[in-house]
Amino acid sequence: MNMLRKQVGLALVMVAGMLACGVASAAVVMTFDQQNGNGEYVDNYYNGGCGGSYGGGSVTCGGPNYGVVWNGALEGYAPNGLWNNTSNSSSPPGVIGFLDSDNAYMNVAAGFDTGFSFYYAAANVGGTIEVWSGLNGTGTMLASLSLPVTGAGCDGITSFSCWDPIGVTFAGTAMSVNFAGTANQIVFDNVTIGSGTPINGVPEPAALGMFGLGALLVGLFAALRRRALQS
């Protein structure tokens, strides 16, 4: 019986550890690969809703519900789609850009913490990213990023093909990001919330933690059942 109690105690400690890791690693990455390659506003796609029509084109609905709403972010494929002067992205085919820097926001009503990161290509002009505590760039600015020019023609074909990862960590809870000074000059991919380092096509760590937690619980209950049958 004492051995059984020790095993149960050890299992509970492991479960608690996995839960803690899951919470600490709850980063979410948006790859922009599931929408219309010929151009579509991201809008509510990552809020479990629909994108917005661009130039009368089709709209994609039913995206993952990350609670993220985009204002002014235009998604398309590169180079075989809307962003035909862009290639070599971190997770093709989809990327985003902004046509109007006065309305270039990412809003997360539930908030996010730890960090914010992405890949970007700026062929000729740099920009600025600001992380705010309130929606639509209001409240307190928690962090800012200066985006240097990354160069052009890294693949020898398209201008926007030199990509760099960049990110920032911050204290507190953020509710919006302002993509200032990036209109029609910078493209983005693998935008990641909850991490100061962008994720490149890797499954969400929290999801992996939950899978491991489920497997651990199944094993624990099976062991307890065997013990009960043998006693």
Side-chain angles (χ1 to χ4, degrees):
M1 180 62 70
N2 289 335
M3 181 61 68
L4 178 59
R5 288 175 178 173
K6 289 181 180 179
Q7 291 175 344
V8 172
L10 178 61
L12 291 175
V13 170
M14 293 174 66
V15 168
M18 291 184 67
L19 284 173
C21 291
V23 171
S25 304
V28 168
V29 58
M30 289 162 277
T31 62
F32 312 107
D33 296 332
Q34 297 84 18
Q35 291 183 265
N36 180 9
N38 292 320
E40 179 181 352
Y41 287 104
V42 181
D43 287 359
N44 282 283
Y45 180 78
Y46 286 105
N47 195 32
C50 301
S53 178
Y54 170 70
S58 62
V59 169
T60 308
C61 296
N65 189 2
Y66 296 152
V68 181
V69 178
W70 290 85
N71 294 330
L74 184 58
E75 182 271 350
Y77 290 176
N80 299 315
L82 174 69
W83 301 104
N84 55 21
N85 196 27
T86 299
S87 62
N88 205 30
S89 61
S90 53
S91 64
V95 301
I96 62 166
F98 298 89
L99 302 183
D100 180 8
S101 61
D102 292 331
N103 189 34
Y105 292 100
M106 182 195 78
N107 287 308
V108 186
F112 66 97
D113 56 18
T114 305
F116 178 70
S117 53
F118 49 85
Y119 289 83
Y120 79 102
N124 305 300
V125 179
T128 304
I129 299 293
E130 299 170 346
V131 181
W132 290 84
S133 63
L135 297 174
N136 294 314
T138 61
T140 302
M141 188 170 69
L142 302 177
S144 64
L145 278 171
S146 177
L147 306 184
V149 171
T150 59
C154 284
D155 65 351
I157 302 173
T158 61
S159 294
F160 293 84
S161 55
C162 303
W163 292 81
D164 284 343
I166 194 169
V168 64
T169 58
F170 55 86
T173 300
M175 296 180 69
S176 67
V177 176
N178 180 14
F179 290 76
T182 63
N184 212 26
Q185 294 293 337
I186 302 179
V187 285
F188 302 86
D189 198 9
N190 285 28
V191 174
T192 304
I193 59 175
S195 172
T197 303
I199 297 174
N200 189 7
V202 178
E204 182 183 341
L208 293 178
M210 292 305 293
F211 175 81
L213 174 60
L216 179 62
L217 289 175
V218 169
L220 172 61
F221 287 124
L224 290 174
R225 186 172 183 274
R226 285 196 301 268
R227 287 281 185 175
L229 291 175
Q230 292 170 359
S231 60

